[in-house]
Amino acid sequence: MESTDPTPADALRTETLRAEALRAEVSLVRLRLDHALAEVRDNEESIALRDARIADLEAELGERAEESAELRAERDAARTRAARVDELEQAAERTPAVVGELIRTADQLTDLRETTAGRQPDPAVLLRWLDRRVAALLAATDTEPVADTGLVAAGHHDVLELRGPTEPEPGAGAPRHRIVETVRPGYRRRGRMLRPQQVIAEQVIAEQVVGKQVVGEAEHTSGTDDAPLPTATALRNDTAPRNDTAPRNDTAPRNDTAPTDDTAPH
């Protein structure tokens, strides 16, 4: 009867086959691992590319946001300019209030010529009427006369004549001058001086201000109809203030064909 135990050769062959099977399995595992590592590397590259694309998109989005903000600002500025143009066009179409006063003055001049035909009107009455009409025209353009008292202020007063001592007192610093007479009133429109007040002034000396505080600015007071008329000998050839802006009251002119309390002299 034959023995069934494996011979050493069979055992060696079996171990060899097992070793080859293990090597094949290890090789397969290595292949799978290499494939997985390659996939990981590909995924990392994809992620890097995706991150770079996201960064580019974010930068582009920021640029678009800046452009959008600039476009909104330009749009708002264009709307503001358009509104300003419309406002100016509407203001240009409105009749200035001074036109109504001019029509009223023209009507009263017509009445004056008719009522004084063939006889000489009273000059004093005529001057009073002219004063009232000029004051009304100035008021219609928001222009007010300025007849200050007190110290001379630069930009507000034009000294035509300086009376009294002109040399500064020793140790008194820069000389100050006080208004003693108004030759011509100044004119101010909406806080801006159109023409300075023309005055005669004198230097302020210490004896004149004992017991009285002299302020550093002139006392600004608006002129009235009772302000003294300038004398012809003291006037200079200064032009009248320019009416460079539209008046505040843009109402239509009144149809005052006949004078009321402001009637022309007879």
Side-chain angles (χ1 to χ4, degrees):
M1 188 173 175
E2 296 180 359
S3 174
T4 58
D5 294 334
T7 63
D10 293 336
L12 180 61
R13 190 182 303 110
T14 302
E15 292 296 330
T16 301
L17 292 175
R18 289 178 179 178
E20 291 177 354
L22 288 174
R23 283 195 295 270
E25 186 175 354
V26 170
S27 298
L28 181 60
V29 171
R30 285 179 177 175
L31 288 175
R32 289 177 180 176
L33 181 59
D34 292 340
H35 182 69
L37 291 175
E39 288 182 352
V40 169
R41 285 193 295 270
D42 292 340
N43 290 333
E44 289 178 349
E45 292 178 357
S46 299
I47 292 173
L49 292 174
R50 185 173 57 198
D51 292 342
R53 180 57 179 166
I54 290 174
D56 293 339
L57 292 175
E58 289 178 348
E60 184 177 355
L61 180 61
E63 293 176 357
R64 295 288 178 86
E66 293 179 358
E67 293 177 357
S68 178
E70 292 177 357
L71 290 175
R72 285 196 297 270
E74 292 178 0
R75 181 196 60 191
D76 295 340
R79 289 178 177 176
T80 302
R81 288 194 297 270
R84 180 58 179 167
V85 169
D86 292 340
E87 181 181 351
L88 292 175
E89 289 178 351
Q90 293 175 4
E93 293 176 357
R94 289 194 295 265
T95 303
V98 69
V99 175
E101 294 295 338
L102 288 172
I103 293 175
R104 187 180 182 190
T105 302
D107 291 339
Q108 292 181 352
L109 285 174
T110 300
D111 296 339
L112 177 63
R113 284 193 296 268
E114 293 176 354
T115 56
T116 59
R119 61 188 181 87
Q120 185 69 24
D122 186 355
V125 176
L126 180 60
L127 284 176
R128 286 196 298 272
W129 176 79
L130 286 174
D131 283 341
R132 289 193 296 270
R133 297 311 305 146
V134 169
L137 292 173
L138 290 174
T141 59
D142 294 336
T143 303
E144 58 176 339
V146 177
D148 294 338
T149 60
L151 296 181
V152 173
H156 290 270
H157 308 115
D158 185 8
V159 179
L160 303 182
E161 180 182 348
L162 187 60
R163 297 177 181 174
T166 58
E167 295 295 331
E169 292 185 326
R176 295 180 297 174
H177 300 91
R178 180 168 49 206
I179 299 172
V180 297
E181 182 181 341
T182 296
V183 178
R184 273 181 175 174
Y187 289 95
R188 179 172 51 222
R189 185 174 188 271
R190 298 179 182 178
R192 183 171 67 91
M193 290 296 296
L194 300 178
R195 191 191 71 185
Q197 178 185 350
Q198 298 175 353
V199 300
I200 298 175
E202 65 179 359
Q203 181 176 335
V204 178
I205 59 177
E207 289 76 6
Q208 293 175 332
V209 295
V210 173
K212 178 181 179 181
Q213 181 181 3
V214 178
V215 296
E217 297 292 338
E219 300 172 4
H220 298 290
T221 57
S222 299
T224 61
D225 291 340
D226 296 331
L229 294 175
T231 59
T233 58
L235 297 182
R236 300 193 306 175
N237 188 17
D238 290 339
T239 58
R242 296 175 297 174
N243 185 13
D244 51 359
T245 56
R248 180 178 55 191
N249 187 1
D250 292 320
T251 58
R254 295 174 299 175
N255 187 15
D256 295 329
T257 56
T260 55
D261 60 331
D262 213 8
T263 56
H266 298 284

